[in-house]
Amino acid sequence: TDAHYLRGEIYNGRKDWKNAAADYSSVAERGPGRYAERALQQAGRISYFELKDYPAAERHFTRLKEVAVKPEIRLDAMRGLLRSQYMQEKWNEAVPNAEELLREKSLNADDRALATMVQAKSLQASGRYAEALTRWRSVVSAGNAAFAAEARYSIAECHFLLNDLKNAEK
């Protein structure tokens, strides 16, 4: 375990993401231990940001959320899990995590907007357009330009699906 963890740290320092993720995953698979939390966090981050392997990132962040001792590590796991599920369009699976994340006091505006987007996408996917509209409007008012642009499009789409063509066009 020590050797895999230390080699993972070396690969991570060299930006050899594939080998770093493999070693961190190996450490994480061994279960609880002194390196488990950091190995899961690093494996999740590398899988998400560097390798764009969202299913692997989801697995690592799910386990990290379960074993994290420090509140900031657990919050990081919740963020990573939500982002991974978002990228895979797993709206229904992401909603409970989004709601849990929204209850966190130290949540930043971007995380709040992403969690609200997940709720809106889930509502829209299930045909609950009127409820989705309120969530989309919250995303627009949150201020993140990229999220707001997608929310505005989805607002128009919801109005269109509700046959409210005047507001859809607007």
Side-chain angles (χ1 to χ4, degrees):
T1 303
D2 289 347
H4 279 287
Y5 176 77
L6 293 172
R7 190 169 67 176
E9 290 284 284
I10 291 168
Y11 283 137
N12 192 15
R14 292 181 180 170
K15 299 182 181 187
D16 183 347
W17 308 124
K18 187 176 178 182
N19 285 319
D23 277 326
Y24 285 134
S25 293
S26 176
V27 172
E29 288 168 10
R30 295 171 195 266
R34 66 180 179 171
Y35 302 123
E37 193 175 74
R38 172 143 168 92
L40 283 166
Q41 187 177 35
Q42 290 299 91
R45 286 179 174 177
I46 290 169
S47 296
Y48 182 85
F49 291 109
E50 307 302 337
L51 301 177
K52 311 293 187 223
D53 184 351
Y54 304 119
E58 181 182 10
R59 282 192 312 277
H60 295 307
F61 285 126
T62 298
R63 289 205 41 232
L64 179 60
K65 184 178 168 186
E66 294 167 359
V67 302
V69 177
K70 298 176 187 169
E72 62 272 9
I73 302 294
R74 189 168 190 284
L75 183 60
D76 189 51
M78 291 166 64
R79 284 180 182 129
L81 177 57
L82 187 66
R83 289 176 184 152
S84 300
Q85 290 170 327
Y86 183 87
M87 296 304 288
Q88 297 175 82
E89 299 181 5
K90 290 184 167 184
W91 312 130
N92 292 332
E93 293 93 334
V95 167
N97 189 47
E99 290 170 352
E100 186 179 4
L101 194 58
L102 286 169
R103 288 191 293 271
E104 292 292 319
K105 291 179 176 115
S106 60
L107 197 62
N108 66 39
D110 285 349
D111 292 333
R112 186 170 306 286
L114 182 63
T116 305
M117 282 182 69
V118 165
Q119 291 176 321
K121 283 186 177 282
S122 177
L123 289 166
Q124 188 171 342
S126 64
R128 297 164 56 192
Y129 306 119
E131 293 173 69
L133 279 168
T134 60
R135 296 294 194 303
W136 286 124
R137 288 185 185 114
S138 296
V139 173
V140 170
S141 64
N144 180 304
F147 292 157
E150 184 174 350
R152 285 187 184 97
Y153 175 83
S154 295
I155 288 170
E157 185 178 34
C158 284
H159 282 298
F160 180 78
L161 293 167
L162 288 167
N163 204 27
D164 181 2
L165 301 181
K166 182 180 177 186
N167 282 321
E169 186 176 320
K170 180 181 167 187

